[in-house]
Amino acid sequence: MAEKGFNAYKMAQAQFDDVADKLDLDESTRELLRKPMREYHFTIPVKMDDGSAKVFQGYRVQHNDARGPCKGGIRFHPQETADTVRALAMWMTWKCAVADIPLGGGKGGVICDPHDLSDREQERLCRGWIRQISKNIGPVEDVPAPDVMTSAQHMLWMMDEYEHIEGGKYPGAITGKPVGHGGSLGRTEATGYGVIYTVREALKELEIDITKTTAAVQGFGNVAQHAVELFTEYGGKVVLVSCWDQDDSKAYSYYRKDGIDLEELRGITDRYGTVDKEKAKELGYERLPGDDWLKQDVDILIPAALENAITGDNADEIKDTVKLIAAGANGPITPEADDILEEKDMMVIPDFLCNAGGVICSYFEQVQNNMNYYWPKEEVIGKLDDKMTSAFYKVMELAKRKDIPLKDAAYMISIDKVVEACKLRGWI
Ligand code: NAD
């Protein structure tokens, strides 16, 4: 998102440049990979409920498709920018590679605030987005999915529009669809659960018993809620979650020393992940400033909201009790913060490994769409756990062997794979 002084694309490029140096990549390879291969910027006219027309700005960026069709979510957010979408598309390329799924990196977005749009207006916006880009996406080119403030319903409207235009049934054109309409069981849970599979394995490496750990989570949307769900199921205790409050235009943290009650909090949270502050007070939650999520005496921090959450300015405020940081969101830790966390000797699970569960399950959804045969939930979740755990240990093994942070190891593995695909195809 656009924020003073922070540019996600510059950060993604700096992260790439750093590893490109370490891997001693040649100039043309760097040139190819530090920018998206293609990008589309377009306007989307939408008829509003009151009869007026409003024009929204839409994006789709395809960073690299050497390993397979591009894959990546679509965000609806008022502060969306072309550079944010570029960064997210690039991170998707690395994510698919580190997760070892045969897909490339893409991302999309619309500058809008869905809080201000009726369901019918959102449907027209989804259909409008597809009308502008349908020729450049599809099951064998680029497959969108949900992300911040987009849902399974948005994906179904998009798929329906795509099928109208193409004149056939193409469930594999979009993933994250509702179950029973081409969606996969387990997709909603996949990203948050995947975060916790990596937390579970990291804690084993750190020789810490998960049932004795506490965590604070930034965000309370799809990723955060499912991460809290599985972490609690494993016996851990979440003492704080935070969210953006639309009415006050700021974030709040909700704290309970004995641990939050997930179902209770879910019951007072809207579909965009905002907790009702009055009801939270009635239920006995202490309301703290939004930034307090990272100042807790906990073992684990899980940033699962947006990018630029842990920065050079606030990383020092993280308590020494913290042993593990699991980056559930995309780009939540800046390179300056990474350096500080390394000095503090905290293990950091990098975002594009930690939150790869979503795209892994989207890939499973496509596989099921292609077969037109759907797996039971246990099978999906079991396969997801296998993929996440195996990706985690490949990264951990390299990190140990070279005595480097997990982030560097993850980048080396994924960039290597993408470079190899580009070279074998004869592109560079
Ligand atoms: P979401 O829209 O469901 O939830 C976002 C949450 O973050 C909401 O609770 C919102 O209130 C909160 N939030 C926003 N700004 C905040 C702030 N400044 N402080 C505290 N909380 C804030 O989105 P999501 O799908 O859960 O995605 C969260 C992150 O995970 C994003 O970075 C997204 O790109 C990434 N991600 C999502 C998926 C997926 O499958 N949904 C997959 C991979 C990565």
Side-chain angles (χ1 to χ4, degrees):
M1 303 297 127
E3 212 167 291
K4 246 171 70 204
F6 174 75
N7 181 309
Y9 185 43
K10 286 201 175 123
M11 171 169 138
Q13 289 187 315
Q15 289 167 331
F16 170 75
D17 291 342
D18 183 43
V19 183
D21 286 344
K22 288 177 178 139
L23 291 173
D24 202 19
L25 293 185
D26 60 73
E27 266 320 302
S28 50
T29 305
R30 285 172 197 240
E31 184 72 10
L32 180 67
L33 294 180
R34 73 191 304 281
K35 287 189 287 202
M37 297 184 81
R38 287 178 291 275
E39 54 182 67
Y40 306 93
H41 298 203
F42 44 89
T43 48
I44 311 169
V46 172
K47 274 276 160 60
M48 307 301 278
D49 291 346
D50 66 4
S52 66
K54 206 167 165 185
V55 180
F56 294 88
Q57 177 66 44
Y59 303 100
R60 187 72 190 172
V61 173
Q62 296 164 352
H63 173 257
N64 187 282
D65 58 7
R67 299 186 65 257
C70 293
K71 188 85 196 78
I74 304 171
R75 281 186 177 183
F76 282 180
H77 200 282
Q79 269 93 49
E80 191 66 291
T81 66
D83 274 350
T84 311
V85 186
R86 291 180 181 119
L88 289 159
M90 194 190 270
W91 289 328
M92 282 306 297
T93 302
W94 315 138
K95 193 180 300 188
C96 293
V98 84
D100 201 23
I101 51 177
L103 298 169
K107 203 78 184 188
V110 178
I111 303 177
C112 71
D113 192 340
H115 291 92
D116 302 335
L117 301 172
S118 71
D119 282 356
R120 293 282 70 83
E121 288 165 344
Q122 292 190 33
E123 177 181 346
R124 291 193 283 268
L125 180 58
C126 287
R127 292 184 185 280
W129 191 89
I130 289 291
R131 281 200 295 276
Q132 299 298 59
I133 195 74
S134 66
K135 292 287 168 264
N136 308 103
I137 60 167
V140 294
E141 286 148 328
D142 178 9
V143 183
D147 199 85
V148 173
M149 287 205 270
T150 51
S151 65
Q153 175 64 77
H154 294 114
M155 297 306 112
L156 195 59
W157 286 326
M158 288 186 175
M159 184 193 77
D160 186 66
E161 189 66 24
Y162 184 83
E163 291 184 341
H164 273 293
I165 294 168
E166 294 300 316
K169 293 295 173 196
Y170 295 95
I174 308 256
T175 61
K177 304 178 293 295
V179 172
H181 304 275
S184 173
L185 288 162
R187 174 61 185 89
T188 316
E189 296 88 342
T191 311
Y193 278 21
V195 169
I196 302 305
Y197 296 140
T198 64
V199 165
R200 181 192 65 200
E201 300 309 318
L203 289 175
K204 284 183 198 160
E205 288 291 316
L206 292 166
E207 298 182 0
I208 297 174
D209 177 357
I210 195 166
T211 65
K212 297 194 169 59
T213 58
T214 52
V217 180
Q218 189 196 33
F220 198 55
N222 174 281
V223 178
Q225 289 185 27
H226 292 101
V228 172
E229 185 176 292
L230 190 63
F231 181 69
T232 315
E233 222 174 281
Y234 283 160
K237 185 166 78 177
V238 175
V239 293
L240 179 149
V241 296
S242 68
C243 66
W244 185 255
D245 190 284
Q246 166 77 4
D247 297 335
D248 298 356
S249 294
K250 60 177 170 182
Y252 291 121
S253 300
Y254 295 94
Y255 175 82
R256 190 191 263 169
K257 191 170 184 286
D258 298 331
I260 64 148
D261 180 327
L262 176 63
E263 289 317 317
E264 186 184 71
L265 264 191
R266 263 183 177 156
I268 58 163
T269 299
D270 72 12
R271 61 178 151 154
Y272 302 112
T274 300
V275 177
D276 183 319
K277 53 182 175 290
E278 299 309 326
K279 290 187 181 148
K281 193 174 164 193
E282 283 164 24
L283 290 170
Y285 287 91
E286 195 179 333
R287 196 174 83 211
L288 303 170
D291 285 349
D292 277 23
W293 74 276
L294 57 61
K295 301 177 188 166
Q296 303 302 309
D297 284 318
V298 289
D299 305 292
I300 303 163
L301 291 178
I302 306 180
L306 290 174
E307 55 273 20
N308 197 30
I310 305 180
T311 66
D313 292 334
N314 65 14
D316 271 329
E317 297 179 56
I318 295 176
K319 295 273 174 14
D320 290 338
T321 54
V322 174
K323 300 286 175 291
L324 178 65
I325 302 181
N330 285 310
I333 307 173
T334 65
E336 299 76 38
D338 264 319
D339 291 343
I340 297 171
L341 300 176
E342 207 183 321
E343 269 168 39
K344 282 175 171 274
D345 205 21
M346 289 171 184
M347 187 188 279
V348 178
I349 309 171
D351 52 358
F352 63 97
L353 168 65
C354 190
N355 68 31
V359 75
I360 291 173
C361 202
S362 274
Y363 165 62
F364 293 161
E365 182 174 329
Q366 261 200 321
V367 171
Q368 294 170 80
N369 292 153
N370 291 342
M371 296 189 296
N372 205 10
Y373 175 79
Y374 291 84
W375 304 331
K377 187 168 176 180
E378 305 73 58
E379 190 173 343
V380 177
I381 297 290
K383 285 180 157 72
L384 174 69
D385 192 347
D386 289 348
K387 272 263 177 219
M388 286 299 299
T389 304
S390 131
F392 176 84
Y393 278 108
K394 280 192 182 125
V395 172
M396 178 56 85
E397 189 271 321
L398 183 67
K400 277 186 184 166
R401 185 152 47 84
K402 290 193 173 277
D403 194 21
I404 52 175
L406 291 175
K407 177 177 67 74
D408 290 357
Y411 262 115
M412 283 180 178
I413 290 173
S414 44
I415 292 176
D416 245 354
K417 279 193 189 170
V418 178
V419 170
E420 188 194 9
C422 294
K423 283 200 191 305
L424 284 173
R425 281 174 181 271
W427 291 358
I428 42 174

